[in-house]
Amino acid sequence: MPRRSSWVRTVVLLAVLALHGALVPTAVQAAPLGDRARAVSLSGRPAPTAPDAPTVSQAQVMPHLKALQRIADRNGGNRAHGTPGYEQSVAYVRHALDRAGFRTELRHFSHAGADGYNLIADWPGGDPRHVLLTGAHLDSVAAGPGINDNGSGAAAVLTTALQVAKARIKPTGHLRFAWWGAEELGLVGSADYVRGLSGAERKAIDVYLNLDQAGSKNTKQWLVVNDEAHGESAAFKAFRTWFAARGIDTFDIGVGGSDHESFGDAGIPSSGFSTGISDCIHEACDNLANVDPATETTSTNALIGVVWQLAARTARS
């Protein structure tokens, strides 16, 4: 897709430069600390005490990717916008969320003569004037099943949401999760969602967290979104600290090339991360074998840890 190409080129360039020693990962080695000790609020002040974040295993994450692979297998090998494969992917995620106690809603849009859908899931409770929105695109390209791009991000977000429900957490702000359609065609679904927000609804989103390609093989460092343009720092620092506490290198990237760009264009702060471009991006080989389970699980636990930290946040200044 046109916008993603610039992001892909940027990530590839950064990787090449890093290999030649021109750039240095930003992670700082740190002694492991509990998630509670690392908590920060969106205002930059220490967050109120929150329950310790749970840790999930591969056995809790990978079944979602296996389900998306099965859906692609029985629908021509893909889960692209406007296809039964995408609709069944949405139905799978929604069913899991409904059973867990979320309020779910399908937001319809049209693109290229086909129906598209964003799935929005709200966890009951919390101040609706301060929303922590976490999302990932759920569609694949027509050429393949899109299990790393972006079943991996979608599965990490779903696992995080289900952990919220399991823990029955009561956040200070409101927790919302989203799965976007037609990202591969130009961030269409997320852009449609943002356009449909009122001024008050846009202002209520304190930060948007985006995951795209969370399970790439041979990952050496996680690429963390640093949205300096909109003054976002708490989520970015929380991600970087989570990784550093576990001896994992990170590299700062800007806003662009995935659904967080739709929010940035509207002035909504964002963060999130990617594990970089896989060898099989946008190809038929982007299947279950293209995902590293350990990387996918690390990404999921990073998201859970930061969502837990920010769930007890104070208001954005």
Side-chain angles (χ1 to χ4, degrees), residues 97-134:
L97 294 164
D98 285 342
R99 290 184 61 188
F102 281 85
R103 298 193 302 263
T104 63
E105 178 186 3
L106 284 182
R107 301 279 184 94
H108 172 267
F109 62 89
S110 296
H111 181 73
D115 292 328
Y117 301 93
N118 294 320
L119 173 60
I120 310 300
D122 287 275
W123 180 242
D127 187 349
R129 298 170 299 175
H130 296 288
V131 176
L132 171 60
L133 175 57
T134 303

PDB file of all heavy atoms in Angstrom, residues 97-134:
ATOM      1  N   LEU A  97     -14.463 -11.802  22.631  1.00  0.00           N
ATOM      2  CA  LEU A  97     -14.654 -10.603  23.450  1.00  0.00           C
ATOM      3  C   LEU A  97     -16.041 -10.576  24.093  1.00  0.00           C
ATOM      4  O   LEU A  97     -16.190 -10.200  25.260  1.00  0.00           O
ATOM      5  CB  LEU A  97     -14.458  -9.353  22.598  1.00  0.00           C
ATOM      6  CG  LEU A  97     -13.037  -9.148  22.066  1.00  0.00           C
ATOM      7  CD1 LEU A  97     -13.044  -8.120  20.940  1.00  0.00           C
ATOM      8  CD2 LEU A  97     -12.097  -8.705  23.178  1.00  0.00           C
ATOM      9  N   ASP A  98     -17.047 -10.967  23.329  1.00  0.00           N
ATOM     10  CA  ASP A  98     -18.408 -10.997  23.876  1.00  0.00           C
ATOM     11  C   ASP A  98     -18.501 -11.960  25.053  1.00  0.00           C
ATOM     12  O   ASP A  98     -19.118 -11.660  26.085  1.00  0.00           O
ATOM     13  CB  ASP A  98     -19.403 -11.405  22.788  1.00  0.00           C
ATOM     14  CG  ASP A  98     -19.678 -10.293  21.784  1.00  0.00           C
ATOM     15  OD1 ASP A  98     -19.389  -9.118  22.099  1.00  0.00           O
ATOM     16  OD2 ASP A  98     -20.170 -10.604  20.680  1.00  0.00           O
ATOM     17  N   ARG A  99     -17.876 -13.110  24.907  1.00  0.00           N
ATOM     18  CA  ARG A  99     -17.900 -14.101  25.989  1.00  0.00           C
ATOM     19  C   ARG A  99     -17.183 -13.590  27.231  1.00  0.00           C
ATOM     20  O   ARG A  99     -17.534 -13.954  28.361  1.00  0.00           O
ATOM     21  CB  ARG A  99     -17.249 -15.399  25.529  1.00  0.00           C
ATOM     22  CG  ARG A  99     -18.035 -16.180  24.509  1.00  0.00           C
ATOM     23  CD  ARG A  99     -17.366 -17.500  24.191  1.00  0.00           C
ATOM     24  NE  ARG A  99     -17.269 -18.347  25.380  1.00  0.00           N
ATOM     25  CZ  ARG A  99     -16.596 -19.491  25.420  1.00  0.00           C
ATOM     26  NH1 ARG A  99     -15.930 -19.909  24.357  1.00  0.00           N
ATOM     27  NH2 ARG A  99     -16.574 -20.209  26.533  1.00  0.00           N
ATOM     28  N   ALA A 100     -16.195 -12.710  27.026  1.00  0.00           N
ATOM     29  CA  ALA A 100     -15.405 -12.203  28.148  1.00  0.00           C
ATOM     30  C   ALA A 100     -16.058 -11.022  28.855  1.00  0.00           C
ATOM     31  O   ALA A 100     -15.579 -10.587  29.907  1.00  0.00           O
ATOM     32  CB  ALA A 100     -14.016 -11.796  27.655  1.00  0.00           C
ATOM     33  N   GLY A 101     -17.125 -10.473  28.293  1.00  0.00           N
ATOM     34  CA  GLY A 101     -17.842  -9.391  28.955  1.00  0.00           C
ATOM     35  C   GLY A 101     -17.614  -8.006  28.387  1.00  0.00           C
ATOM     36  O   GLY A 101     -18.011  -7.003  28.998  1.00  0.00           O
ATOM     37  N   PHE A 102     -16.989  -7.911  27.219  1.00  0.00           N
ATOM     38  CA  PHE A 102     -16.819  -6.614  26.562  1.00  0.00           C
ATOM     39  C   PHE A 102     -18.107  -6.177  25.870  1.00  0.00           C
ATOM     40  O   PHE A 102     -18.928  -7.008  25.467  1.00  0.00           O
ATOM     41  CB  PHE A 102     -15.693  -6.688  25.523  1.00  0.00           C
ATOM     42  CG  PHE A 102     -14.317  -6.610  26.109  1.00  0.00           C
ATOM     43  CD1 PHE A 102     -13.681  -7.746  26.585  1.00  0.00           C
ATOM     44  CD2 PHE A 102     -13.645  -5.398  26.186  1.00  0.00           C
ATOM     45  CE1 PHE A 102     -12.408  -7.682  27.131  1.00  0.00           C
ATOM     46  CE2 PHE A 102     -12.383  -5.311  26.732  1.00  0.00           C
ATOM     47  CZ  PHE A 102     -11.760  -6.454  27.210  1.00  0.00           C
ATOM     48  N   ARG A 103     -18.250  -4.877  25.715  1.00  0.00           N
ATOM     49  CA  ARG A 103     -19.287  -4.326  24.856  1.00  0.00           C
ATOM     50  C   ARG A 103     -18.668  -4.144  23.471  1.00  0.00           C
ATOM     51  O   ARG A 103     -17.753  -3.329  23.299  1.00  0.00           O
ATOM     52  CB  ARG A 103     -19.803  -2.984  25.379  1.00  0.00           C
ATOM     53  CG  ARG A 103     -20.452  -3.055  26.758  1.00  0.00           C
ATOM     54  CD  ARG A 103     -21.207  -1.755  27.059  1.00  0.00           C
ATOM     55  NE  ARG A 103     -20.320  -0.603  27.000  1.00  0.00           N
ATOM     56  CZ  ARG A 103     -19.732  -0.047  28.059  1.00  0.00           C
ATOM     57  NH1 ARG A 103     -19.912  -0.571  29.266  1.00  0.00           N
ATOM     58  NH2 ARG A 103     -18.941   1.009  27.925  1.00  0.00           N
ATOM     59  N   THR A 104     -19.138  -4.904  22.504  1.00  0.00           N
ATOM     60  CA  THR A 104     -18.537  -4.862  21.178  1.00  0.00           C
ATOM     61  C   THR A 104     -19.463  -4.209  20.167  1.00  0.00           C
ATOM     62  O   THR A 104     -20.682  -4.243  20.300  1.00  0.00           O
ATOM     63  CB  THR A 104     -18.163  -6.271  20.683  1.00  0.00           C
ATOM     64  OG1 THR A 104     -19.357  -7.059  20.558  1.00  0.00           O
ATOM     65  CG2 THR A 104     -17.194  -6.948  21.641  1.00  0.00           C
ATOM     66  N   GLU A 105     -18.838  -3.634  19.151  1.00  0.00           N
ATOM     67  CA  GLU A 105     -19.593  -2.954  18.103  1.00  0.00           C
ATOM     68  C   GLU A 105     -18.822  -3.071  16.790  1.00  0.00           C
ATOM     69  O   GLU A 105     -17.604  -2.900  16.751  1.00  0.00           O
ATOM     70  CB  GLU A 105     -19.766  -1.472  18.452  1.00  0.00           C
ATOM     71  CG  GLU A 105     -20.492  -0.671  17.391  1.00  0.00           C
ATOM     72  CD  GLU A 105     -20.514   0.819  17.702  1.00  0.00           C
ATOM     73  OE1 GLU A 105     -19.901   1.218  18.723  1.00  0.00           O
ATOM     74  OE2 GLU A 105     -21.115   1.574  16.907  1.00  0.00           O
ATOM     75  N   LEU A 106     -19.551  -3.380  15.713  1.00  0.00           N
ATOM     76  CA  LEU A 106     -18.970  -3.364  14.380  1.00  0.00           C
ATOM     77  C   LEU A 106     -19.240  -2.004  13.742  1.00  0.00           C
ATOM     78  O   LEU A 106     -20.387  -1.551  13.699  1.00  0.00           O
ATOM     79  CB  LEU A 106     -19.570  -4.463  13.502  1.00  0.00           C
ATOM     80  CG  LEU A 106     -19.110  -5.898  13.738  1.00  0.00           C
ATOM     81  CD1 LEU A 106     -19.784  -6.829  12.732  1.00  0.00           C
ATOM     82  CD2 LEU A 106     -17.602  -6.017  13.635  1.00  0.00           C
ATOM     83  N   ARG A 107     -18.205  -1.340  13.284  1.00  0.00           N
ATOM     84  CA  ARG A 107     -18.333  -0.061  12.581  1.00  0.00           C
ATOM     85  C   ARG A 107     -18.128  -0.329  11.090  1.00  0.00           C
ATOM     86  O   ARG A 107     -17.034  -0.688  10.655  1.00  0.00           O
ATOM     87  CB  ARG A 107     -17.291   0.940  13.085  1.00  0.00           C
ATOM     88  CG  ARG A 107     -17.384   1.241  14.580  1.00  0.00           C
ATOM     89  CD  ARG A 107     -18.452   2.250  14.885  1.00  0.00           C
ATOM     90  NE  ARG A 107     -18.460   2.593  16.301  1.00  0.00           N
ATOM     91  CZ  ARG A 107     -17.807   3.644  16.825  1.00  0.00           C
ATOM     92  NH1 ARG A 107     -17.076   4.420  16.031  1.00  0.00           N
ATOM     93  NH2 ARG A 107     -17.866   3.905  18.117  1.00  0.00           N
ATOM     94  N   HIS A 108     -19.170  -0.137  10.319  1.00  0.00           N
ATOM     95  CA  HIS A 108     -19.133  -0.431   8.886  1.00  0.00           C
ATOM     96  C   HIS A 108     -18.546   0.723   8.091  1.00  0.00           C
ATOM     97  O   HIS A 108     -18.758   1.894   8.413  1.00  0.00           O
ATOM     98  CB  HIS A 108     -20.554  -0.722   8.378  1.00  0.00           C
ATOM     99  CG  HIS A 108     -20.659  -0.851   6.896  1.00  0.00           C
ATOM    100  ND1 HIS A 108     -20.965   0.217   6.073  1.00  0.00           N
ATOM    101  CD2 HIS A 108     -20.490  -1.930   6.082  1.00  0.00           C
ATOM    102  CE1 HIS A 108     -20.980  -0.195   4.817  1.00  0.00           C
ATOM    103  NE2 HIS A 108     -20.696  -1.487   4.791  1.00  0.00           N
ATOM    104  N   PHE A 109     -17.781   0.408   7.059  1.00  0.00           N
ATOM    105  CA  PHE A 109     -17.344   1.390   6.078  1.00  0.00           C
ATOM    106  C   PHE A 109     -17.284   0.698   4.721  1.00  0.00           C
ATOM    107  O   PHE A 109     -17.344  -0.543   4.633  1.00  0.00           O
ATOM    108  CB  PHE A 109     -15.980   1.984   6.450  1.00  0.00           C
ATOM    109  CG  PHE A 109     -14.856   0.984   6.507  1.00  0.00           C
ATOM    110  CD1 PHE A 109     -14.098   0.686   5.380  1.00  0.00           C
ATOM    111  CD2 PHE A 109     -14.544   0.336   7.703  1.00  0.00           C
ATOM    112  CE1 PHE A 109     -13.063  -0.240   5.438  1.00  0.00           C
ATOM    113  CE2 PHE A 109     -13.510  -0.594   7.767  1.00  0.00           C
ATOM    114  CZ  PHE A 109     -12.771  -0.889   6.624  1.00  0.00           C
ATOM    115  N   SER A 110     -17.193   1.461   3.677  1.00  0.00           N
ATOM    116  CA  SER A 110     -17.087   0.907   2.330  1.00  0.00           C
ATOM    117  C   SER A 110     -15.796   1.382   1.686  1.00  0.00           C
ATOM    118  O   SER A 110     -15.391   2.534   1.863  1.00  0.00           O
ATOM    119  CB  SER A 110     -18.279   1.334   1.461  1.00  0.00           C
ATOM    120  OG  SER A 110     -19.485   0.806   1.972  1.00  0.00           O
ATOM    121  N   HIS A 111     -15.160   0.480   0.956  1.00  0.00           N
ATOM    122  CA  HIS A 111     -13.939   0.854   0.233  1.00  0.00           C
ATOM    123  C   HIS A 111     -13.763  -0.064  -0.970  1.00  0.00           C
ATOM    124  O   HIS A 111     -13.931  -1.278  -0.853  1.00  0.00           O
ATOM    125  CB  HIS A 111     -12.716   0.747   1.136  1.00  0.00           C
ATOM    126  CG  HIS A 111     -11.443   1.142   0.455  1.00  0.00           C
ATOM    127  ND1 HIS A 111     -11.142   2.458   0.169  1.00  0.00           N
ATOM    128  CD2 HIS A 111     -10.396   0.401  -0.033  1.00  0.00           C
ATOM    129  CE1 HIS A 111      -9.982   2.521  -0.440  1.00  0.00           C
ATOM    130  NE2 HIS A 111      -9.500   1.286  -0.575  1.00  0.00           N
ATOM    131  N   ALA A 112     -13.469   0.547  -2.104  1.00  0.00           N
ATOM    132  CA  ALA A 112     -13.229  -0.195  -3.345  1.00  0.00           C
ATOM    133  C   ALA A 112     -14.401  -1.103  -3.686  1.00  0.00           C
ATOM    134  O   ALA A 112     -14.222  -2.235  -4.166  1.00  0.00           O
ATOM    135  CB  ALA A 112     -11.932  -0.992  -3.244  1.00  0.00           C
ATOM    136  N   GLY A 113     -15.612  -0.629  -3.418  1.00  0.00           N
ATOM    137  CA  GLY A 113     -16.808  -1.379  -3.764  1.00  0.00           C
ATOM    138  C   GLY A 113     -17.109  -2.546  -2.853  1.00  0.00           C
ATOM    139  O   GLY A 113     -17.963  -3.385  -3.183  1.00  0.00           O
ATOM    140  N   ALA A 114     -16.436  -2.620  -1.697  1.00  0.00           N
ATOM    141  CA  ALA A 114     -16.657  -3.733  -0.776  1.00  0.00           C
ATOM    142  C   ALA A 114     -16.923  -3.218   0.629  1.00  0.00           C
ATOM    143  O   ALA A 114     -16.473  -2.132   1.007  1.00  0.00           O
ATOM    144  CB  ALA A 114     -15.440  -4.664  -0.760  1.00  0.00           C
ATOM    145  N   ASP A 115     -17.675  -4.012   1.389  1.00  0.00           N
ATOM    146  CA  ASP A 115     -17.966  -3.662   2.774  1.00  0.00           C
ATOM    147  C   ASP A 115     -16.754  -3.976   3.656  1.00  0.00           C
ATOM    148  O   ASP A 115     -16.116  -5.023   3.519  1.00  0.00           O
ATOM    149  CB  ASP A 115     -19.165  -4.453   3.291  1.00  0.00           C
ATOM    150  CG  ASP A 115     -20.461  -4.048   2.629  1.00  0.00           C
ATOM    151  OD1 ASP A 115     -20.592  -2.867   2.276  1.00  0.00           O
ATOM    152  OD2 ASP A 115     -21.329  -4.925   2.449  1.00  0.00           O
ATOM    153  N   GLY A 116     -16.476  -3.053   4.565  1.00  0.00           N
ATOM    154  CA  GLY A 116     -15.411  -3.258   5.534  1.00  0.00           C
ATOM    155  C   GLY A 116     -15.932  -3.027   6.939  1.00  0.00           C
ATOM    156  O   GLY A 116     -16.989  -2.409   7.126  1.00  0.00           O
ATOM    157  N   TYR A 117     -15.182  -3.513   7.919  1.00  0.00           N
ATOM    158  CA  TYR A 117     -15.625  -3.410   9.306  1.00  0.00           C
ATOM    159  C   TYR A 117     -14.444  -3.169  10.238  1.00  0.00           C
ATOM    160  O   TYR A 117     -13.397  -3.804  10.115  1.00  0.00           O
ATOM    161  CB  TYR A 117     -16.344  -4.695   9.742  1.00  0.00           C
ATOM    162  CG  TYR A 117     -17.547  -5.031   8.903  1.00  0.00           C
ATOM    163  CD1 TYR A 117     -17.415  -5.885   7.809  1.00  0.00           C
ATOM    164  CD2 TYR A 117     -18.786  -4.462   9.169  1.00  0.00           C
ATOM    165  CE1 TYR A 117     -18.507  -6.188   7.008  1.00  0.00           C
ATOM    166  CE2 TYR A 117     -19.895  -4.753   8.373  1.00  0.00           C
ATOM    167  CZ  TYR A 117     -19.742  -5.619   7.297  1.00  0.00           C
ATOM    168  OH  TYR A 117     -20.827  -5.900   6.493  1.00  0.00           O
ATOM    169  N   ASN A 118     -14.652  -2.247  11.163  1.00  0.00           N
ATOM    170  CA  ASN A 118     -13.789  -2.117  12.332  1.00  0.00           C
ATOM    171  C   ASN A 118     -14.527  -2.735  13.513  1.00  0.00           C
ATOM    172  O   ASN A 118     -15.745  -2.540  13.664  1.00  0.00           O
ATOM    173  CB  ASN A 118     -13.503  -0.651  12.651  1.00  0.00           C
ATOM    174  CG  ASN A 118     -12.695   0.035  11.579  1.00  0.00           C
ATOM    175  OD1 ASN A 118     -11.774  -0.540  11.014  1.00  0.00           O
ATOM    176  ND2 ASN A 118     -13.028   1.298  11.307  1.00  0.00           N
ATOM    177  N   LEU A 119     -13.809  -3.460  14.331  1.00  0.00           N
ATOM    178  CA  LEU A 119     -14.392  -4.034  15.544  1.00  0.00           C
ATOM    179  C   LEU A 119     -13.902  -3.230  16.733  1.00  0.00           C
ATOM    180  O   LEU A 119     -12.697  -3.099  16.954  1.00  0.00           O
ATOM    181  CB  LEU A 119     -13.973  -5.500  15.689  1.00  0.00           C
ATOM    182  CG  LEU A 119     -14.373  -6.195  16.994  1.00  0.00           C
ATOM    183  CD1 LEU A 119     -15.889  -6.208  17.166  1.00  0.00           C
ATOM    184  CD2 LEU A 119     -13.810  -7.631  17.022  1.00  0.00           C
ATOM    185  N   ILE A 120     -14.832  -2.672  17.505  1.00  0.00           N
ATOM    186  CA  ILE A 120     -14.523  -1.857  18.671  1.00  0.00           C
ATOM    187  C   ILE A 120     -15.035  -2.582  19.910  1.00  0.00           C
ATOM    188  O   ILE A 120     -16.186  -3.044  19.942  1.00  0.00           O
ATOM    189  CB  ILE A 120     -15.178  -0.462  18.580  1.00  0.00           C
ATOM    190  CG1 ILE A 120     -14.885   0.192  17.219  1.00  0.00           C
ATOM    191  CG2 ILE A 120     -14.718   0.420  19.738  1.00  0.00           C
ATOM    192  CD1 ILE A 120     -13.425   0.406  16.928  1.00  0.00           C
ATOM    193  N   ALA A 121     -14.194  -2.687  20.929  1.00  0.00           N
ATOM    194  CA  ALA A 121     -14.570  -3.384  22.164  1.00  0.00           C
ATOM    195  C   ALA A 121     -14.256  -2.507  23.362  1.00  0.00           C
ATOM    196  O   ALA A 121     -13.107  -2.085  23.551  1.00  0.00           O
ATOM    197  CB  ALA A 121     -13.824  -4.711  22.272  1.00  0.00           C
ATOM    198  N   ASP A 122     -15.265  -2.205  24.170  1.00  0.00           N
ATOM    199  CA  ASP A 122     -15.107  -1.375  25.360  1.00  0.00           C
ATOM    200  C   ASP A 122     -15.238  -2.223  26.614  1.00  0.00           C
ATOM    201  O   ASP A 122     -16.188  -3.009  26.753  1.00  0.00           O
ATOM    202  CB  ASP A 122     -16.171  -0.274  25.371  1.00  0.00           C
ATOM    203  CG  ASP A 122     -15.893   0.801  24.348  1.00  0.00           C
ATOM    204  OD1 ASP A 122     -15.124   1.717  24.676  1.00  0.00           O
ATOM    205  OD2 ASP A 122     -16.427   0.728  23.224  1.00  0.00           O
ATOM    206  N   TRP A 123     -14.265  -2.040  27.517  1.00  0.00           N
ATOM    207  CA  TRP A 123     -14.347  -2.692  28.816  1.00  0.00           C
ATOM    208  C   TRP A 123     -15.181  -1.801  29.725  1.00  0.00           C
ATOM    209  O   TRP A 123     -14.893  -0.613  29.872  1.00  0.00           O
ATOM    210  CB  TRP A 123     -12.964  -2.905  29.395  1.00  0.00           C
ATOM    211  CG  TRP A 123     -12.972  -3.587  30.736  1.00  0.00           C
ATOM    212  CD1 TRP A 123     -12.525  -3.093  31.922  1.00  0.00           C
ATOM    213  CD2 TRP A 123     -13.467  -4.907  31.002  1.00  0.00           C
ATOM    214  NE1 TRP A 123     -12.705  -4.024  32.919  1.00  0.00           N
ATOM    215  CE2 TRP A 123     -13.288  -5.146  32.388  1.00  0.00           C
ATOM    216  CE3 TRP A 123     -14.060  -5.902  30.211  1.00  0.00           C
ATOM    217  CZ2 TRP A 123     -13.680  -6.340  32.990  1.00  0.00           C
ATOM    218  CZ3 TRP A 123     -14.445  -7.100  30.816  1.00  0.00           C
ATOM    219  CH2 TRP A 123     -14.247  -7.308  32.188  1.00  0.00           C
ATOM    220  N   PRO A 124     -16.238  -2.322  30.346  1.00  0.00           N
ATOM    221  CA  PRO A 124     -17.126  -1.478  31.150  1.00  0.00           C
ATOM    222  C   PRO A 124     -16.380  -0.769  32.278  1.00  0.00           C
ATOM    223  O   PRO A 124     -15.490  -1.325  32.917  1.00  0.00           O
ATOM    224  CB  PRO A 124     -18.133  -2.484  31.714  1.00  0.00           C
ATOM    225  CG  PRO A 124     -18.117  -3.623  30.746  1.00  0.00           C
ATOM    226  CD  PRO A 124     -16.696  -3.720  30.285  1.00  0.00           C
ATOM    227  N   GLY A 125     -16.750   0.484  32.499  1.00  0.00           N
ATOM    228  CA  GLY A 125     -16.188   1.242  33.601  1.00  0.00           C
ATOM    229  C   GLY A 125     -15.074   2.155  33.172  1.00  0.00           C
ATOM    230  O   GLY A 125     -14.641   2.173  32.015  1.00  0.00           O
ATOM    231  N   GLY A 126     -14.592   2.943  34.125  1.00  0.00           N
ATOM    232  CA  GLY A 126     -13.525   3.895  33.846  1.00  0.00           C
ATOM    233  C   GLY A 126     -14.064   5.204  33.311  1.00  0.00           C
ATOM    234  O   GLY A 126     -15.173   5.272  32.771  1.00  0.00           O
ATOM    235  N   ASP A 127     -13.296   6.248  33.465  1.00  0.00           N
ATOM    236  CA  ASP A 127     -13.699   7.590  33.061  1.00  0.00           C
ATOM    237  C   ASP A 127     -13.703   7.700  31.541  1.00  0.00           C
ATOM    238  O   ASP A 127     -12.637   7.646  30.913  1.00  0.00           O
ATOM    239  CB  ASP A 127     -12.732   8.615  33.668  1.00  0.00           C
ATOM    240  CG  ASP A 127     -13.152  10.047  33.441  1.00  0.00           C
ATOM    241  OD1 ASP A 127     -14.083  10.286  32.631  1.00  0.00           O
ATOM    242  OD2 ASP A 127     -12.556  10.951  34.068  1.00  0.00           O
ATOM    243  N   PRO A 128     -14.875   7.881  30.901  1.00  0.00           N
ATOM    244  CA  PRO A 128     -14.929   7.956  29.437  1.00  0.00           C
ATOM    245  C   PRO A 128     -14.282   9.207  28.870  1.00  0.00           C
ATOM    246  O   PRO A 128     -14.094   9.306  27.663  1.00  0.00           O
ATOM    247  CB  PRO A 128     -16.433   7.921  29.147  1.00  0.00           C
ATOM    248  CG  PRO A 128     -17.069   8.491  30.373  1.00  0.00           C
ATOM    249  CD  PRO A 128     -16.208   8.028  31.514  1.00  0.00           C
ATOM    250  N   ARG A 129     -13.931  10.147  29.735  1.00  0.00           N
ATOM    251  CA  ARG A 129     -13.236  11.350  29.260  1.00  0.00           C
ATOM    252  C   ARG A 129     -11.741  11.102  29.088  1.00  0.00           C
ATOM    253  O   ARG A 129     -11.031  11.974  28.562  1.00  0.00           O
ATOM    254  CB  ARG A 129     -13.460  12.497  30.250  1.00  0.00           C
ATOM    255  CG  ARG A 129     -14.909  12.918  30.408  1.00  0.00           C
ATOM    256  CD  ARG A 129     -15.059  13.885  31.567  1.00  0.00           C
ATOM    257  NE  ARG A 129     -14.635  13.265  32.824  1.00  0.00           N
ATOM    258  CZ  ARG A 129     -14.566  13.912  33.988  1.00  0.00           C
ATOM    259  NH1 ARG A 129     -14.897  15.193  34.049  1.00  0.00           N
ATOM    260  NH2 ARG A 129     -14.174  13.271  35.083  1.00  0.00           N
ATOM    261  N   HIS A 130     -11.280   9.918  29.515  1.00  0.00           N
ATOM    262  CA  HIS A 130      -9.864   9.569  29.408  1.00  0.00           C
ATOM    263  C   HIS A 130      -9.748   8.122  28.941  1.00  0.00           C
ATOM    264  O   HIS A 130      -9.814   7.193  29.741  1.00  0.00           O
ATOM    265  CB  HIS A 130      -9.151   9.790  30.736  1.00  0.00           C
ATOM    266  CG  HIS A 130      -9.148  11.229  31.145  1.00  0.00           C
ATOM    267  ND1 HIS A 130      -8.370  12.176  30.522  1.00  0.00           N
ATOM    268  CD2 HIS A 130      -9.875  11.889  32.085  1.00  0.00           C
ATOM    269  CE1 HIS A 130      -8.594  13.355  31.061  1.00  0.00           C
ATOM    270  NE2 HIS A 130      -9.502  13.212  32.012  1.00  0.00           N
ATOM    271  N   VAL A 131      -9.587   7.964  27.640  1.00  0.00           N
ATOM    272  CA  VAL A 131      -9.618   6.651  27.010  1.00  0.00           C
ATOM    273  C   VAL A 131      -8.212   6.201  26.633  1.00  0.00           C
ATOM    274  O   VAL A 131      -7.448   6.956  26.018  1.00  0.00           O
ATOM    275  CB  VAL A 131     -10.503   6.674  25.746  1.00  0.00           C
ATOM    276  CG1 VAL A 131     -10.462   5.330  25.035  1.00  0.00           C
ATOM    277  CG2 VAL A 131     -11.941   7.056  26.113  1.00  0.00           C
ATOM    278  N   LEU A 132      -7.876   4.985  27.006  1.00  0.00           N
ATOM    279  CA  LEU A 132      -6.683   4.315  26.504  1.00  0.00           C
ATOM    280  C   LEU A 132      -7.155   3.357  25.423  1.00  0.00           C
ATOM    281  O   LEU A 132      -7.846   2.385  25.704  1.00  0.00           O
ATOM    282  CB  LEU A 132      -5.973   3.550  27.619  1.00  0.00           C
ATOM    283  CG  LEU A 132      -4.823   2.629  27.186  1.00  0.00           C
ATOM    284  CD1 LEU A 132      -3.721   3.411  26.485  1.00  0.00           C
ATOM    285  CD2 LEU A 132      -4.271   1.860  28.378  1.00  0.00           C
ATOM    286  N   LEU A 133      -6.803   3.652  24.177  1.00  0.00           N
ATOM    287  CA  LEU A 133      -7.243   2.864  23.031  1.00  0.00           C
ATOM    288  C   LEU A 133      -6.059   2.053  22.496  1.00  0.00           C
ATOM    289  O   LEU A 133      -4.994   2.602  22.223  1.00  0.00           O
ATOM    290  CB  LEU A 133      -7.786   3.794  21.938  1.00  0.00           C
ATOM    291  CG  LEU A 133      -8.179   3.156  20.607  1.00  0.00           C
ATOM    292  CD1 LEU A 133      -9.225   2.069  20.791  1.00  0.00           C
ATOM    293  CD2 LEU A 133      -8.700   4.239  19.651  1.00  0.00           C
ATOM    294  N   THR A 134      -6.263   0.756  22.369  1.00  0.00           N
ATOM    295  CA  THR A 134      -5.225  -0.145  21.888  1.00  0.00           C
ATOM    296  C   THR A 134      -5.753  -0.890  20.678  1.00  0.00           C
ATOM    297  O   THR A 134      -6.865  -1.424  20.717  1.00  0.00           O
ATOM    298  CB  THR A 134      -4.838  -1.161  22.981  1.00  0.00           C
ATOM    299  OG1 THR A 134      -4.423  -0.449  24.153  1.00  0.00           O
ATOM    300  CG2 THR A 134      -3.719  -2.070  22.508  1.00  0.00           C
TER     301      THR A 134
END
